[in-house]
Amino acid sequence: MRSASWARTAVVAAFSAGALALATGSAGAAADIPVTTGFGPSVYKKTHTRDGKVGVLDLRAGDSIIADCWDRGDNIDNRGNVWYHTLSERYTATTGQESFVEGWTYGAYIDGNQAFHEGTIPEC
């Protein structure tokens, strides 16, 4: 009887810990944002091009990114200062592979800042 009670307590504790982990997770969900421009955007280490790229292939129209929020950074070619925090890159148009390299992509060069304007992802 004592062992059954201990097992039940352990199960309840495990479920409670799982619920707590879910409750403290990210408030916003990540979104798949397709590349709809012909700029060939890159993934950068920060929201400033001077900090360099993360070392993955440049994106092409037909590829997409998985992003969870946006922030402000460099204003390239006077197209705005919106950058998407990128969790992974899907090279659908080229290799068909997905790269899980985190970085920042310039919103204007991804989708003309559409995800930002529609509120698809929140501010970081």
Side-chain angles (χ1 to χ4, degrees):
M1 182 78 86
R2 180 178 179 162
S3 137
S5 174
W6 180 85
R8 188 175 318 125
T9 302
V11 169
V12 169
F15 280 127
S16 297
L20 180 60
L22 285 174
T24 59
S26 172
D32 185 331
I33 303 172
V35 177
T36 58
T37 70
F39 289 106
S42 300
V43 184
Y44 288 88
K45 294 176 184 174
K46 297 186 178 179
T47 60
H48 304 285
T49 58
R50 70 177 175 265
D51 294 315
K53 299 177 183 182
V54 298
V56 296
L57 297 172
D58 288 347
L59 297 150
R60 303 281 180 250
D63 294 339
S64 65
I65 62 168
I66 304 299
D68 62 348
C69 63
W70 65 270
D71 205 351
R72 293 170 184 86
D74 287 347
N75 181 343
I76 301 172
D77 295 330
N78 204 29
R79 296 179 185 271
N81 63 353
V82 173
W83 288 72
Y84 298 146
H85 183 244
T86 304
L87 305 173
S88 68
E89 306 79 30
R90 293 184 175 162
Y91 297 97
T92 309
T94 53
T95 65
Q97 297 178 336
E98 184 166 5
S99 214
F100 295 92
V101 177
E102 190 173 338
W104 293 89
T105 50
Y106 186 55
Y109 286 4
I110 295 292
D111 66 348
N113 294 324
Q114 183 176 348
F116 161 75
H117 288 294
E118 292 178 349
T120 303
I121 52 176
E123 184 174 5
C124 296

